[in-house]
Amino acid sequence: MLRVAGFGLVVLLLTFIYLYIWHRDYVGWAMYMLRSKPAPKLSEQDRSTLHIWLKENSVQLDTVDAGSGFDDMEPLKAVIGQARLVALGEAAHLNGDFYRMKHRMIEFLVSEMDFNVVAFEAPFAGALELNEYLLSG
């Protein structure tokens, strides 16, 4: 019994090392979730204030799909103003809607606001492949 339990611990440790080396973002997320505290409860007044602020400062978009025109994105021009750097993140990895929205946002920034540089967070090997594609098609 002890030998089986020891083997199980070794497998668990090796799995954790593998995940830490090759999938560090997932391990970091899991560790964060395990030690994070729940968000503090908002008072009714704070919740109301936040709701009003969000309503006044958000832009509702009709679709996340690129190639859909930019009429609904026009208000973003005032938000972006003369900025030459716009950071696009996502609340979770591997969510298709986030990537489709980023595609649409990049299309908007390039087509409507004359942005001409796009930088991505990506693994080095994937970035090399993308660079090769961009340079040679």
Side-chain angles (χ1 to χ4, degrees):
M1 178 69 174
L2 185 58
R3 181 175 284 169
V4 173
F7 178 75
L9 287 174
V10 169
V11 169
L12 184 63
L13 180 62
L14 290 174
T15 302
F16 184 75
I17 291 170
Y18 165 79
L19 289 172
Y20 183 77
I21 292 171
W22 297 108
H23 301 285
R24 190 172 298 170
D25 52 339
Y26 298 118
V27 173
W29 176 83
M31 297 300 284
Y32 172 78
M33 293 306 290
L34 288 173
R35 71 174 180 259
S36 65
K37 298 175 184 157
K41 297 285 184 192
L42 293 176
S43 69
E44 196 59 44
Q45 180 181 356
D46 288 342
R47 190 183 328 233
S48 176
T49 302
L50 178 61
H51 185 263
I52 291 167
W53 185 89
L54 287 171
K55 208 169 181 119
E56 292 173 352
N57 292 284
S58 48
V59 175
Q60 183 172 345
L61 303 177
D62 296 333
T63 181
V64 297
D65 296 319
S68 302
F70 304 117
D71 291 341
D72 59 335
M73 298 180 90
E74 282 297 315
L76 293 174
K77 288 182 177 180
V79 174
I80 296 167
Q82 297 300 312
R84 296 313 306 151
L85 176 66
V86 174
L88 304 175
E90 64 267 350
H93 292 293
L94 306 175
N95 181 320
D97 287 338
F98 287 125
Y99 296 117
R100 290 188 358 241
M101 187 64 235
K102 283 172 129 177
H103 180 182
R104 184 165 186 230
M105 188 66 182
I106 292 168
E107 180 186 44
F108 171 75
L109 292 169
V110 170
S111 300
E112 298 293 311
M113 299 196 68
D114 299 324
F115 278 74
N116 58 11
V117 174
V118 178
F120 289 97
E121 170 195 5
F124 186 71
L128 287 176
E129 290 179 31
L130 178 60
N131 188 56
E132 182 63 30
Y133 174 77
L134 292 173
L135 293 175
S136 62

